[in-house]
Amino acid sequence: SIASADMDLNQLDAFLTAQTKKQGGITSDQAAVIAKFWKNHRMKIHDSLINQSRWDNFLKNMNWRVDLKSQSRHIDQINTPVAIVEMELGKNGQ
């Protein structure tokens, strides 16, 4: 629940407090250990979940520009905008 909601420290505190008050829930010592672990490893856990949910390719880099023709045989083709997009894809895990 903590990882899927990507809880911040206030949300984590409220969640763990609720878990300690539940019948059959966790102890306050367990809550303290979970909170410390989450604070130290939140970004690693988040990145791991993202990598697990990603399929195959992902967008690694993107460059774009808009060009205008300044010379042409035909006058109606001058100042015609052309968008050029360069996308670099990466494989999951590379």
Side-chain angles (χ1 to χ4, degrees):
S1 296
I2 297 168
S4 64
D6 194 25
M7 292 183 185
D8 63 20
L9 297 180
N10 292 332
Q11 293 170 323
L12 176 67
D13 187 42
F15 177 76
L16 292 176
T17 301
Q19 294 301 312
T20 59
K21 293 180 180 180
K22 267 178 141 176
Q23 186 178 8
I26 61 175
T27 66
S28 58
D29 290 339
Q30 290 171 325
V33 170
I34 292 169
K36 185 176 180 180
F37 182 82
W38 181 248
K39 289 174 191 174
N40 291 332
H41 299 287
R42 179 180 178 191
M43 290 309 299
K44 289 178 188 175
I45 295 168
H46 182 263
D47 291 343
S48 176
L49 288 174
I50 294 295
N51 286 334
Q52 290 174 22
S53 65
R54 192 179 290 150
W55 285 354
D56 199 18
N57 293 330
F58 66 97
L59 184 62
K60 198 173 187 179
N61 191 16
M62 185 175 113
N63 295 312
W64 65 275
R65 71 176 196 250
V66 176
D67 290 345
L68 295 173
K69 283 189 176 184
S70 60
Q71 294 181 355
S72 181
R73 288 184 183 173
H74 306 286
I75 192 107
D76 60 335
Q77 292 179 349
I78 294 178
N79 292 332
T80 303
V82 176
I84 298 173
V85 179
E86 177 185 3
M87 293 186 284
E88 182 181 357
L89 299 177
K91 289 268 187 198
N92 195 8
Q94 294 179 349

